[in-house]
């Protein structure tokens, strides 16, 4: 029997999203006095990667560095 775990993390730090290799990312926006989902999907989707890089400290460079590091690990 296989155990399934779900962990929901709410953060304003997109570095946590990348470092934890999140499967589903929800990019939020504040509009008309409410918080709404702006974009949602996995890090493999270009629009999600762009949103993360726009918010993330270090931007695209930090995102690429993270993925180069994990792709070299065996």
């Amino acid at each position: 029997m296989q155990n399934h775990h779900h962990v929901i993390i709410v953060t304003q730090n997109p570095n946590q999203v990348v470092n934890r290799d999140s499967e589903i990312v929800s990019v939020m926006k504040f509009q008309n006095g409410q918080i709404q989902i702006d974009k949602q999907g996995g890090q493999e989707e270009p629009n999600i990667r762009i949103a993360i890089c726009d918010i993330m400290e270090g931007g695209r460079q930090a995102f690429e560095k993270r993925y180069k590091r994990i792709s070299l690990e065996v």
Side-chain angles (χ1 to χ4, degrees):
M1 185 157 113
Q2 187 178 26
N3 292 329
H4 296 280
H5 296 83
H6 299 278
V7 178
I8 298 172
I9 299 173
V10 178
T11 180
Q12 293 178 332
N13 184 344
N15 296 340
Q16 295 296 323
V17 172
V18 175
N19 291 332
R20 303 289 185 259
D21 198 23
S22 304
E23 291 183 24
I24 298 174
V25 177
S26 297
V27 179
M28 310 303 281
K29 65 180 178 181
F30 187 76
Q31 185 175 6
N32 300 325
Q34 294 184 343
I35 297 173
Q36 301 174 1
I37 295 174
D38 185 33
K39 298 171 185 66
Q40 188 173 43
Q43 291 185 49
E44 68 278 0
E45 297 175 37
N47 66 328
I48 298 299
R49 287 196 306 271
I50 290 168
I52 292 170
C53 290
D54 287 345
I55 300 167
M56 186 169 143
E57 182 180 325
R60 177 179 283 289
Q61 214 172 20
F63 193 89
E64 288 174 352
K65 186 177 181 180
R66 158 77 172 135
Y67 274 91
K68 283 180 186 175
R69 186 175 71 240
I70 64 172
S71 68
L72 296 176
E73 294 177 6
V74 177

